[in-house]
Amino acid sequence: MAEATDQNGSTTPVPILRQVFAVVLAGGEGNRLKHLTRWRAKPAVPFGGKYRIIDFPLSNCVNSGIARVAVLTQYKAQSLIRHLQRAWNFLRHEVGEFIEIVPAQQRMGKEWYLGTADAVAQNLDLLRRHRPRYILILAGDHVYTMDYARMLASHVERRAEITIACIPVPLAQASHFGVMAVDEENRVVRFVEKPSQPEPIPGQPEMALASMGIYLFDAEYLYALLLEDRDRADSTHDFGRDLIPHALQRGDRLFAYRFVNEAGKPDYWRDVGTIESYWRANMDLCAIEPPLNLYDRNWPIWTYQAQRPPAKFAFDDEGRRGMAVDSLVSAGCILSGAVARRSILFTNTFLHSYSTVEESVLLPNVEVGRNAKIRRAIIDKHCRIPPGMEIGFDREADRERFYCCPQSGLVVVTPEMLGQSFRHYDPQEDF
């Protein structure tokens, strides 16, 4: 508990979680997801059969007891905004619970958001209006489940000014993250954003300690740091590149919070910022015991979903059997004498007879024609796969028609690549 003082000077106890204000950064372009972010922001990309990526950090907030949240948007935000309006309007502002959508508005000048820190700095008036004691900065494009209350407890116990959530990652992948070094008390002693030569963890030469892009600040400390950074001509106004290293140079109290499970092992967290990582994270859900548990009733992932009938599996003839194995099949799907193996089928997917789908992700409203075959592919919303078409079997043919990842060979298919127009889109559905 802490105390709040009203206009009459009297004080009342305030639960500590009600003193936290969460800011979700959801304005990035998401270029590495290629065609999946052509019409939508990365946090709005569908994931896991029925969710959007942003549902994970927002669900973490609500489940952690943090119910004052601002989502900062910028690029291609229409689909994201519509989803937030539909899925996240159940909080009650009358009792101090809300999720506000905050588009880039040039509130402090003529520039759009110049970096992650600048996005928060341009909304300092919003933050100050709510008078939080702590500010939690989150990325809107990561997939994980995490109790932020535990991170807050660690922050308070250590009297930290900044707490950074971290997790070990393979050294070969560490160049994509902020990499830190800590002492025996988990105080951060070095931090480099996306280093070309990441520093390994002592005793673990093949691993590096990576930032998860989750920062917890004392509010007044953050305000001062942001204003100081805004006046620095050499700054890119980014948390990882500028604010965190600058705070270290000043000798401020920065601590790492290790994201571990009950067994003390690193928990599940994925930056799904590339085609390969997005596909792999979806495939993780198809495992017999998936590392990300969507079935935990004590930690539900909230979302919006249209009212659709249950999934249907039709025909039981030899060679024409509607079935799905090691797959997630959402409401409104029909597998009419077709087979899906280790795949994710989003809402309203229709597989016609004798078609097969393997190790693939089919986003909502996809139709797969008779005798078509799909393997190791991501099929975007509203695609109509013609009868007999094969995807994922001939790399040269795939390159001529679709986007084919150079290393993995994963195929991405959009309606435009199939020469299909918008005429069959459901106006009630988002991009």
Side-chain angles (χ1 to χ4, degrees), residues 213-286:
I214 300 172
Y215 310 108
L216 184 60
F217 292 87
D218 284 355
E220 294 297 331
Y221 170 81
L222 175 61
Y223 302 156
L225 206 61
L226 288 171
L227 292 174
E228 184 178 335
D229 175 78
R230 191 169 177 82
D231 292 335
R232 292 175 55 206
D234 61 340
S235 176
T236 63
H237 311 297
D238 182 83
F239 279 106
R241 290 189 179 92
D242 304 290
L243 259 73
I244 303 302
H246 184 60
L248 276 176
Q249 291 174 3
R250 300 188 344 172
D252 296 342
R253 294 181 61 81
L254 280 70
F255 285 86
Y257 174 78
R258 296 177 184 264
F259 183 43
V260 296
N261 57 24
E262 294 180 355
K265 301 292 185 181
D267 216 331
Y268 187 91
W269 173 84
R270 295 291 184 270
D271 178 353
V272 289
T274 66
I275 293 296
E276 289 86 352
S277 62
Y278 172 80
W279 174 84
R280 193 174 298 111
N282 274 283
M283 292 299 100
D284 285 344
L285 301 176
C286 296

Side-chain angles (χ1 to χ4, degrees), residues 167-180 192-200 206-211:
I167 195 168
V169 300
L171 196 66
Q173 302 174 15
S175 294
H176 299 295
F177 306 99
V179 174
M180 68 187 77
V192 182
E193 182 72 8
K194 298 182 179 178
S196 57
Q197 295 183 321
E199 179 178 352
E206 296 181 353
M207 304 294 288
L209 194 59
S211 167

